[in-house]
Amino acid sequence: MFVSESRKSLAYSVPKLKDFSAAALDKAATKLLAALNEESKAVTDEAEWKTFRDHWMARASGVLTQVNDLWLKAAPKDAKREVGRRVNELKGKVEEIVDATLSDVAGKAGAKGRLDRAKTRDSASQHHGHSSGPDCLDITLPGIRRPLGAEHPVIKTMNEIVGVFRDLGYSVEEGPEIETDYYNFEALNFPPNHPARDTQDTLFLAGQESKPLRDRLLLRTHTSPVQIRTMEKMKPPVRVVCPGKVHRNDAPDATHSPIFHQVEGLAVDTNITFCDLKGTLDHAMKALFGSSVKTRFYPSFFPFTEPSADVQISCIFCGGRGYRDGGPCRNCKASGWIELLGCGMVDPNVYGFVGYDPKRVSGFAFGMGVERIAILKYGVDDIQLFFNGDVRFLEQFG
């Protein structure tokens, strides 16, 4: 399992249980923990520890997964409660020993590194004819560089989306997460008391009752305010994408989060039509999900675009057929299509807030949720996994 053949022989395989009595469970658990401790002793560096950890804790085929399948799921109904309790105890002990093994490896590596550096400093001093104490620091030695981590799957997906539009000639613009009501709503054709504001219920900062509504601060609900700020400082032609974090007053569940990320786009120029919008998004979806993906547009409503559309892509799991593995496809609900983003031609009223002449220019805008695309690309079934900070989940994307 590790470096040598002798260490490979230490790898533990989970046996099937025919007897689920307390004595049989005790015996099986004792053998498992003995094997765990033996494998732990054989770990000498971080690379071996990762192999050791994966052998015991990997989701697909780790020992803990096998224990759950071969012991708990196979247990008779009357024994499941007791077997489940013991499996949970084993899980805790395995995680504890795996973590302790890493600490031991890190401690040994640190001690060895300090000893090697001390030897290097003493020999260097003797070579130059100087004596030095144990606390002498040789600043000519290379420093200790911290290893770089991997991109978070949400950031990785957002960068990939931005990269697709960069290749089409779009630039990137960013703006503040704390916005005014004017930029978040009013300048985007959401007048006060408009019912469309209810769909983007957000969080206002407290103590602003004395301010005019347009000046009150809130956590932005979309990155569309960046489009307004961009048009205020730039004259057409404009082609930008606006990635960033947004906030809405949503209860967290498997498909919703009060904090999420968006990439929105804007193109304004002379003679831009809905055909340009369709061609751009069709190309982007093929770049993200493969050349076989199809797109379709159907009418929708957004206050800042007219006409507006929702965009669907053919289901990447069933190939757009609506069924797979002998039954209906759960991902597209047997329809063959998955709704992915919203878009439309910029409403002429919006141009009035930024000083553009709607008789001379036209444009389109679109927006997509990054987590929604990441869920499809990586097969994740719960958006909360992206924010829980579980290293075991995040390491899969390294």
Side-chain angles (χ1 to χ4, degrees), residues 29-58:
T30 300
K31 288 184 176 181
L32 183 148
L33 292 175
L36 174 65
N37 284 310
E38 285 299 313
E39 288 193 29
S40 173
K41 294 175 184 177
V43 177
T44 60
D45 57 35
E46 188 173 348
E48 290 187 355
W49 174 82
K50 288 181 179 179
T51 304
F52 166 67
R53 176 204 60 194
D54 292 345
H55 175 224
W56 286 89
M57 298 176 63

Side-chain angles (χ1 to χ4, degrees), residues 23 35 54 76 121 129 131 135 150-151 163 167 203 207 280 286 353 359 370:
D54 292 345
R121 287 197 296 269
S131 61
D135 296 328
E151 282 186 318
D167 292 342
L203 305 172
T280 299
K286 285 177 166 57
F353 289 96
K359 295 181 180 179
V370 178

Side-chain angles (χ1 to χ4, degrees), residues 62-355:
V63 169
L64 290 179
T65 300
Q66 296 176 46
V67 166
N68 191 70
D69 293 340
L70 298 178
W71 294 5
L72 181 57
K73 290 183 179 180
K77 187 175 181 180
D78 57 346
K80 278 192 182 295
R81 183 171 182 177
E82 179 61 21
V83 174
R85 182 183 67 81
R86 289 173 179 266
V87 167
N88 286 335
E89 289 178 356
L90 281 175
K91 179 181 177 183
K93 290 180 180 178
V94 169
E95 291 176 348
E96 180 181 342
I97 292 174
V98 169
D99 290 342
T101 304
L102 177 60
S103 298
D104 291 343
V105 169
K108 292 174 184 177
K112 183 178 183 300
R114 288 192 295 272
L115 179 60
D116 290 344
R117 289 193 295 273
K119 289 180 178 179
T120 302
R121 287 197 296 269
D122 291 344
S123 62
S125 298
Q126 292 171 7
H127 176 72
H128 291 289
H130 300 289
S131 61
S132 62
D135 296 328
C136 180
L137 175 63
D138 186 348
I139 62 173
T140 64
L141 293 174
I144 301 172
R145 181 175 295 176
R146 296 182 65 182
L148 296 176
E151 282 186 318
H152 189 282
V154 171
I155 302 302
K156 186 175 182 179
T157 303
M158 187 158 62
N159 289 340
E160 186 177 351
I161 297 169
V162 169
V164 169
F165 289 98
R166 273 187 182 276
D167 292 342
L168 291 173
Y170 285 67
S171 59
V172 179
E173 293 287 338
E174 295 180 331
E177 288 183 39
I178 298 178
E179 268 293 4
T180 64
D181 184 280
Y182 173 80
Y183 282 107
N184 195 81
F185 289 124
E186 187 177 341
L188 287 161
N189 209 31
F190 286 85
N193 301 318
H194 193 284
R197 288 189 176 217
D198 294 340
T199 64
Q200 296 197 23
D201 187 16
T202 187
L203 305 172
F204 281 81
L205 274 65
Q208 301 185 90
E209 291 78 8
S210 61
K211 290 184 177 180
L213 177 61
R214 60 165 47 189
D215 295 332
R216 295 180 188 178
L217 299 177
L218 51 85
L219 299 182
R220 68 182 181 187
T221 61
H222 45 188
T223 58
S224 300
V226 182
Q227 299 179 16
I228 299 296
R229 292 179 177 273
T230 299
M231 287 190 285
E232 284 183 339
K233 66 182 182 181
M234 295 174 59
K235 295 302 180 183
V238 173
R239 285 174 177 79
V240 295
V241 284
C242 312
K245 186 188 300 180
V246 300
H247 309 256
R248 295 187 187 178
N249 189 17
D250 288 339
D253 58 28
T255 57
H256 295 86
S257 173
I259 301 174
F260 57 101
H261 297 77
Q262 279 189 334
V263 174
E264 296 197 8
L266 171 71
V268 180
D269 204 343
T270 56
N271 300 320
I272 288 184
T273 69
F274 203 93
C275 292
D276 299 309
L277 169 60
K278 293 181 69 176
T280 299
L281 292 182
D282 185 72
H283 170 83
M285 295 303 103
K286 285 177 166 57
L288 290 170
F289 296 103
S291 59
S292 62
V293 164
K294 299 178 182 178
T295 56
R296 73 175 184 182
F297 296 68
Y298 60 98
S300 185
F301 169 78
F302 303 106
F304 37 85
T305 55
E306 178 62 36
S308 304
D310 283 326
V311 183
Q312 293 181 335
I313 62 169
S314 55
C315 180
I316 59 176
F317 300 97
C318 66
R321 293 185 296 272
Y323 61 90
R324 60 173 175 155
D325 301 329
C329 176
R330 294 185 301 169
N331 298 89
C332 64
K333 300 179 181 178
S335 68
W337 296 92
I338 297 176
E339 183 180 333
L340 206 57
L341 67 146
C343 66
M345 301 301 292
V346 178
D347 192 301
N349 289 341
V350 174
Y351 294 136
F353 289 96
V354 296

Side-chain angles (χ1 to χ4, degrees), residues 59 153-154 157 254-255 317 331 371-387 393-394 396-397:
R59 290 193 175 191
V154 171
T157 303
T255 57
F317 300 97
N331 298 89
E371 285 83 356
R372 186 173 183 82
I373 292 179
I375 282 173
L376 293 177
K377 288 183 69 69
Y378 297 116
V380 178
D381 57 5
D382 188 343
I383 193 175
Q384 301 304 319
L385 292 171
F386 290 130
F387 306 110
F393 169 76
L394 297 175
Q396 300 176 78
F397 306 94

